[in-house]
Amino acid sequence: MSEENDKKDFENIKELGVTNITKIDERIQVLPIIGQIEGHLMLPPQTKTTKYEHFIPQLIAIETNPSIEGVLIILNTVGGDVEAGLAIAEMITSLSKPTVSLVIGGGHSIGVPLATSANYSFISPTATMIVHPIRMNGLVIGVPQTFEYFNKMQERIIEFIIRTSRIKRETLKELMLQTDELLNDMGTILIGKQAVEYGLIDDIGGISEALKKLEELISNKKNSTKKP
């Protein structure tokens, strides 16, 4: 049994950086989204990643585990695979357990919908969020269908963000298309309070505020499910 536990700890250290899936207690699950979101293609081994195929089983385990009452999502990501990131965001939104997100370093690119996917979101005062259009990498075929594909992908992201935050569609598109903030690129950098003022994030805060809000959401859910 000890050998089996040692093997499990080794695998968790190798893949997750911890000896077990990080928990504050039995009721609250912590999910870190760090580095780049890795999807269908493997990134170089020296790149810090959140792996799509590792994250989804964790979300399913959370949903089916009756002892877990809430989820705290910690984000410090530069973005990454758009399809994988959006899929993870949709799964977080579909959880029946209360969720709170906290952006501590950065929530850039596809990290924006990942941050807004929780029931309530926080950002630390010095953390940043970069909102920009989808970038085209690699070979691009110059036909109308290519433009239409990227346009539809962009629309999916916009629809998700406005569905899961308080930002207006017009404001979000305006932030995405700004040309005077990012070098050789389009988009906007929002620092802490700015993300809240635009309605992208719910509140400024840190670990204590995020945990307090999560406990509040857990308590509210328990009270709403009690029979009269």
Side-chain angles (χ1 to χ4, degrees):
M1 187 68 179
S2 177
E3 184 178 342
E4 184 180 335
N5 287 337
D6 289 344
K7 184 178 179 182
K8 185 177 180 182
D9 283 347
F10 175 77
E11 288 300 319
N12 281 328
I13 291 171
K14 180 181 176 183
E15 301 296 348
L16 303 174
V18 290
T19 55
N20 51 40
I21 296 175
T22 310
K23 289 183 180 180
I24 298 168
D25 58 35
E26 289 299 317
R27 301 177 306 110
I28 295 174
Q29 177 76 58
V30 177
L31 289 178
I33 299 179
I34 297 169
Q36 284 189 254
I37 309 301
E38 184 180 274
H40 304 297
L41 299 177
M42 289 187 67
L43 294 170
Q46 66 270 24
T47 303
K48 180 72 71 175
T49 63
T50 294
K51 297 180 184 294
Y52 174 73
E53 68 272 23
H54 294 167
F55 210 85
I56 288 178
Q58 290 185 67
L59 291 173
I60 295 171
I62 288 167
E63 181 63 25
T64 56
N65 188 341
S67 67
I68 296 174
E69 298 179 359
V71 184
L72 176 62
I73 303 152
I74 307 291
L75 293 109
N76 187 3
T77 176
V78 294
D81 189 293
V82 173
E83 288 278 5
L86 197 56
I88 292 171
E90 287 284 11
M91 288 192 71
I92 292 172
T93 299
S94 70
L95 289 172
S96 65
K97 313 290 176 77
T99 54
V100 170
S101 66
L102 171 60
V103 181
I104 55 170
H108 304 163
S109 191
I110 199 63
V112 174
L114 284 166
T116 65
S117 65
N119 298 136
Y120 201 88
S121 58
F122 286 92
I123 185 169
S124 62
T126 59
T128 59
M129 304 188 78
I130 297 180
V131 182
H132 65 74
I134 292 177
R135 297 185 178 99
M136 298 183 184
N137 294 322
L139 178 65
V140 177
I141 301 174
V143 294
Q145 290 90 332
T146 302
F147 171 79
E148 187 61 26
Y149 170 78
F150 280 99
N151 191 46
K152 285 183 178 180
M153 178 67 73
Q154 186 67 70
E155 191 58 28
R156 287 169 60 193
I157 294 171
I158 291 172
E159 286 292 340
F160 183 89
I161 293 172
I162 63 174
R163 168 160 53 95
T164 54
S165 71
R166 295 176 289 105
I167 197 168
K168 303 296 183 184
R169 173 187 289 271
E170 297 75 18
T171 304
L172 179 59
K173 293 186 80 169
E174 182 181 329
L175 292 174
M176 283 183 166
L177 299 177
Q178 282 199 67
T179 58
D180 58 349
E181 284 207 22
L182 300 179
L183 183 65
N184 298 326
D185 201 356
M186 302 174 72
T188 304
I189 302 173
L190 301 176
I191 303 174
K193 189 178 179 181
Q194 291 177 311
V196 177
E197 290 171 347
Y198 278 108
L200 198 59
I201 297 295
D202 292 313
D203 209 347
I204 290 284
I207 293 293
S208 61
E209 289 83 4
L211 286 174
K212 183 178 179 181
K213 185 64 180 181
L214 186 56
E215 290 288 2
E216 178 187 320
L217 294 177
I218 291 171
S219 178
N220 290 344
K221 184 180 179 183
K222 286 181 178 178
N223 292 334
S224 67
T225 56
K226 285 181 180 177
K227 292 183 179 179

